Amino acid sequence: MRRETMCIQAGYQPKNGESRMIPIIQSTTFKYDTSEDMGKLFDLQAEGYFYTRLQNPTNDMVAAKIAALEGGTAAMLTSSGQAASFFSVFNIAGAGDHIVASATIYGGTFNLFNVTMKRMGIDFTFVDPECSDEELEAAFRPNTKAVFGETIANPALVVFDIERFADAAHAHGVPLIIDNTFATPINCRPFEWGADIVIHSTTKYMDGHDTAVGGCIVDSGKFDWRAHADKYPGLTTPDESYHGITYVDQFGLEGAYITKATAQLMRDFGAIQAPQNAFYLNLGLESLAVRMERHCSNAQKVAEYLQQSDAVEWVNYPGLPDNPYYERAKKYMPDGTCGVISFGVKGGRAAAETFMKHLKIGMIATHVADAHTCVLHPASSTHRQLTDEELSAGGVSPDLIRLSVGIEHVDDIIEDLEQALASVK
Ligand SMILES: *Cc1c(COP(=O)(O)O)cnc(C)c1O
């Protein structure tokens, strides 16, 4: 199946007389005839469901669709993208371990790593994604357990060199984890470039309609935990908290990582996605391929419009030929990158505020990556307590506007920008 077909067909094939849409199994628990039947499930000796905190059939159908789209062997849904990022690392790293991460990852992920997970005793080294080979090499330590990066960084729009970081990770015997939220598997499949684990904030393009917060983790099944058994005892030695199971022995390389994350992390942290939300996510996935095409073609035209406008100081979009990531984006995402653009309005912070006030279609929201065109001016909203100097030090210029181009008619979006820009002059 091609990706467009998988969006519709993968994950659930109804049998004779069954519902065409995935059923929402809105049940916390599942009934068994005998205690032995249930015991086998608890011992992970039989497949089935017993409690929705660990697994739910609706969630599994949707996770299977995302696994198919990414070309992975196993997947699980989580309650949010943040939970997916946390689990993806915590599943293979604990106190005393170390992770190499790109410095330009999403701010929420950066905080999770740099503040909260550091408090758990996991150390992080953040590297400039354009660093030299020597700098990258120097970031690794004997206790490094993974490398983490983002296909297209939110909001910096840095296109990550997946192949380069995968090679470096593998040379050190650790997996590469990629946050593929902005590109989606429609535009990029990180596993094809050497990544081992992919995570998503499904809240963005996958849901696509501002309806449900969610996340997903997908395993490629390719990383050989056994070959680096000393680094990953959690996968390669018996789990005493789970009936002495050794995940790689019982579930193979294709299933060990996700089964461990389900059995241990979902059990203990409980960040499960509600089956109702999984249903909404599935609806979003059905049109993902069609929507991504429109997001990208709209964003391309909007970026080109902004670039020629004399009210605009600069435009950052990887689809523009003068963008520093243009060539790399063509390699990893030949069909397009995403719908998010950032640009600066001439006149700085005050002009940007005026521009924002005059928008009629572009809605002011902290969200990105969904059907509605939305805009954010960090200097007058999320970052308003900072001075111009403090903003610039954090890589956010006072005039920066983040524009998430939706799937409305592109002429309406451009006309809206045009009249709002005219108000600034
Ligand atoms: C939004 C986002 C997250 C966090 O996801 P939530 O669903 O909001 O928890 C992680 N990574 C990226 C790239 C994001 O855009």
Side-chain angles (χ1 to χ4, degrees), residues 44-259:
L44 301 180
Q45 279 163 1
E47 273 190 44
Y49 298 91
F50 49 95
Y51 190 53
T52 286
R53 167 149 50 75
L54 280 100
Q55 272 185 297
N56 174 282
T58 307
N59 291 19
D60 282 354
M61 291 169 200
V62 182
K65 178 177 280 188
I66 298 174
L69 282 165
E70 287 287 4
T73 55
M76 69 197 287
L77 299 188
T78 57
S79 55
S80 66
Q82 288 297 101
S85 301
F86 173 51
F87 281 13
S88 73
V89 173
F90 201 63
N91 201 33
I92 48 172
D97 289 337
H98 171 257
I99 306 292
V100 175
S102 162
T104 56
I105 48 176
Y106 169 68
T109 315
F110 183 78
N111 260 326
L112 168 69
F113 289 174
N114 194 45
V115 180
T116 302
M117 290 182 78
K118 272 192 181 164
R119 267 177 35 213
M120 295 173 159
I122 302 175
D123 209 358
F124 288 82
T125 299
F126 296 97
V127 295
D128 181 335
E130 302 306 314
C131 68
S132 69
D133 289 345
E134 293 70 37
E135 285 167 311
L136 181 54
E137 194 58 31
F140 285 90
R141 301 181 195 165
N143 59 341
T144 300
K145 295 297 168 73
V147 176
F148 190 102
E150 226 167 278
T151 315
I152 309 171
N154 173 13
L157 303 177
V158 171
V159 177
F160 196 62
D161 195 347
I162 301 173
E163 219 170 14
R164 175 185 179 215
F165 279 79
D167 288 347
H170 297 158
H172 289 271
V174 304
L176 174 65
I177 306 174
I178 290 287
D179 181 338
N180 197 31
T181 298
F182 266 29
T184 83
I186 301 305
N187 286 341
C188 182
R189 286 213 247 188
F191 294 157
E192 292 174 358
W193 303 101
D196 302 284
I197 292 147
V198 158
I199 67 124
H200 284 279
S201 165
T202 61
T203 317
K204 311 294 164 54
Y205 288 120
M206 284 191 167
D207 168 72
H209 300 82
D210 288 335
T211 57
V213 172
C216 184
I217 310 175
V218 190
D219 183 11
S220 66
K222 282 193 272 192
F223 190 80
D224 192 351
W225 310 106
R226 283 196 199 94
H228 308 284
D230 53 322
K231 276 195 169 75
Y232 304 104
L235 285 155
T236 57
T237 60
D239 176 2
E240 296 310 335
S241 84
Y242 224 101
H243 320 286
I245 269 174
T246 300
Y247 293 101
V248 286
D249 292 347
Q250 198 150 336
F251 301 99
L253 294 182
E254 64 282 2
Y257 176 90
I258 292 293
T259 308

Side-chain angles (χ1 to χ4, degrees), residues 287-320:
S287 61
L288 182 66
V290 181
R291 286 186 292 106
M292 287 313 289
E293 209 178 301
R294 177 66 74 87
H295 278 295
C296 292
S297 67
N298 277 3
Q300 185 68 33
K301 286 179 197 147
V302 169
E304 285 165 9
Y305 161 74
L306 289 170
Q307 199 167 41
Q308 59 74 49
S309 164
D310 52 17
V312 171
E313 191 76 49
W314 55 271
V315 184
N316 179 16
Y317 184 65
L320 294 174

